[in-house]
Amino acid sequence: MLIDTHAHIHFDSFRGEVNEVLARAREAGVGKIITVGVNSDDSRKAVEMAARYENVWAAVGVHPHSAEEIEQAADYIADLAKNRQVVAVGECGLDYYKSQASREQQAAALRKQLELAAEIKLPVIFHVREAFSDFFKIYDGYDRLPGVVHSFTGTPAEMRGAVERGLHVALNGIMTFTKDEGQLQAAKELPLDRLLLETDCPYLTPAPDRGKRNEPANVKPIAEFLAELRGESIQELSRQTTANACQLFGI
């Protein structure tokens, strides 16, 4: 069995097709999915979807792109996190590449969600893009909370920084089409007991299907690509990444 640890199947791009999407996932061996909120209203939709479908769970949080809403959203996110379908806080973090929110707003939103995760004892799904130095400085103030750096595209040194802190690292379809040798080297060096798989669907469809909508079934070709890249059997990689996800998220 494979697990998609980061999907957005509650997004409008899947409206009216969720049953078919989940059926294709099962056919591909993807037996569990975490659908991840990016702001307060979107997190509500993730929780509602997780409540409707077996083997779908939710994460609730405020993405760095929406960091300015954290003061108004914090209590609502905390209430959503009480739902039994919620297995993580996030996605939250720092994005210095694309986010229009200020670095101060992003840092404040990240700290607020780290405090929530520490209080309610849930792991955290982190979005970190071109901001690892500042991310590690903030994260280090919270006593090594469990979590995962999702959609990792950093350097081998940044990967090691995450692993040394006890974090997991999630890889997705980017690895199948990146031309960045540093990213591929980080994927090769990542310890298997720290590796998670994800799609980040509907985005980041793996090669050779770029341009099409991504979906959880595509964890399978991602896993196959990574197994070959790392010189591991698909059975070994599937077994360990599934165990990693079950342990981190309690699913």
Side-chain angles (χ1 to χ4, degrees):
M1 182 181 67
L2 296 163
I3 297 179
D4 188 350
T5 63
H6 196 111
H8 302 287
I9 58 171
H10 60 286
F11 277 14
D12 286 346
S13 53
F14 293 105
R15 186 184 298 244
E17 299 181 59
V18 175
N19 290 332
E20 292 81 0
V21 167
L22 294 178
R24 286 192 291 271
R26 288 192 297 271
E27 290 171 6
V30 181
K32 298 181 180 183
I33 299 165
I34 299 174
T35 194
V36 180
V38 296
N39 57 44
S40 55
D41 186 58
D42 187 68
S43 293
R44 174 186 58 79
K45 294 176 182 178
V47 172
E48 290 173 349
M49 177 157 289
R52 289 197 299 270
Y53 293 97
E54 186 178 5
N55 291 332
V56 176
W57 289 265
V60 296
V62 175
H63 191 287
H65 293 182
S66 301
E68 67 277 1
E69 78 161 38
I70 191 62
E71 290 305 321
Q72 294 75 28
D75 289 343
Y76 186 61
I77 293 293
D79 285 340
L80 286 175
K82 297 174 184 177
N83 284 272
R84 63 179 181 82
Q85 296 89 0
V86 174
V87 295
V89 173
E91 61 185 289
C92 59
L94 303 175
D95 188 331
Y96 292 174
Y97 174 77
K98 193 174 181 180
S99 181
Q100 295 183 6
S102 71
R103 295 187 178 190
E104 292 76 17
Q105 287 174 320
Q106 293 184 51
L110 174 57
R111 289 191 175 96
K112 182 72 83 171
Q113 291 173 91
L114 287 169
E115 291 165 5
L116 171 62
E119 178 182 348
I120 63 179
K121 294 181 171 52
L122 283 179
V124 188
I125 296 174
F126 294 111
H127 173 109
V128 185
R129 195 169 184 192
E130 297 189 5
F132 275 97
S133 179
D134 285 352
F135 168 73
F136 286 144
K137 289 176 184 176
I138 294 173
Y139 174 82
D140 287 345
Y142 290 87
D143 196 26
R144 296 202 169 205
L145 290 171
V148 55
V149 179
H150 111 93
S151 194
F152 181 82
T153 54
T155 66
E158 290 165 342
M159 177 276 291
R160 289 191 292 271
V163 169
E164 288 165 1
R165 289 167 169 82
L167 292 169
H168 290 73
V169 173
L171 303 178
N172 56 35
I174 290 173
M175 295 298 131
T176 70
F177 56 77
T178 184
K179 304 300 183 184
D180 188 324
E181 289 299 325
Q183 293 175 2
L184 293 172
Q185 189 60 37
K188 291 179 185 178
E189 294 180 10
L190 175 60
L192 184 55
D193 66 353
R194 296 287 103 186
L195 172 60
L196 297 180
L197 303 175
E198 63 167 47
T199 60
D200 202 14
C201 65
Y203 314 115
L204 305 177
T205 307
D209 293 325
R210 294 186 68 192
K212 299 180 181 179
R213 184 190 66 185
N214 201 4
E215 59 181 68
N218 284 327
V219 170
K220 183 178 180 180
I222 293 167
E224 292 170 341
F225 175 88
L226 289 171
E228 182 174 356
L229 177 72
R230 292 164 55 87
E232 297 162 343
S233 70
I234 185 63
Q235 293 82 6
E236 180 185 16
L237 185 139
S238 299
R239 178 192 60 78
Q240 187 61 57
T241 56
T242 293
N244 296 344
C246 289
Q247 181 178 29
L248 178 63
F249 296 112
I251 58 177

